[in-house]
Amino acid sequence: MDLKLEVVVIPVPDVDKAKEFYVDTLGFRADAAFFGPDGNEWFLQEVAVRAPGR
C-alpha cells in the first residue's frame, strides 16, 4: 500500500503573512485563494500552496 500526505491544514492568525512566508521565503507555489461570503476575508480565507517540485 502506497500512502501519501495530500493536504495539511495549518490555522494561522495572519493569512497574508503566512502566504508570503510559504511562497516568497520557502518557494512554494500558490495554487488557489478562497474568501468567505461577499469577499469577507475575516470570516474565512484559505490559501492553497504546493511544495516546490510538486
Side-chain angles (χ1 to χ4, degrees), residues 28-49:
F28 281 39
R29 184 178 77 199
D31 283 344
F34 304 98
F35 298 91
D38 301 324
N40 182 356
E41 65 183 59
W42 295 107
F43 177 74
L44 170 69
Q45 184 177 1
E46 177 184 337
V47 175
V49 294

Side-chain angles (χ1 to χ4, degrees), residues 10-23 32-35 41-49:
I10 304 172
V12 296
D14 189 330
V15 175
D16 293 326
K17 281 186 181 180
K19 181 180 176 187
E20 179 182 328
F21 174 73
Y22 282 100
V23 173
F34 304 98
F35 298 91
E41 65 183 59
W42 295 107
F43 177 74
L44 170 69
Q45 184 177 1
E46 177 184 337
V47 175
V49 294

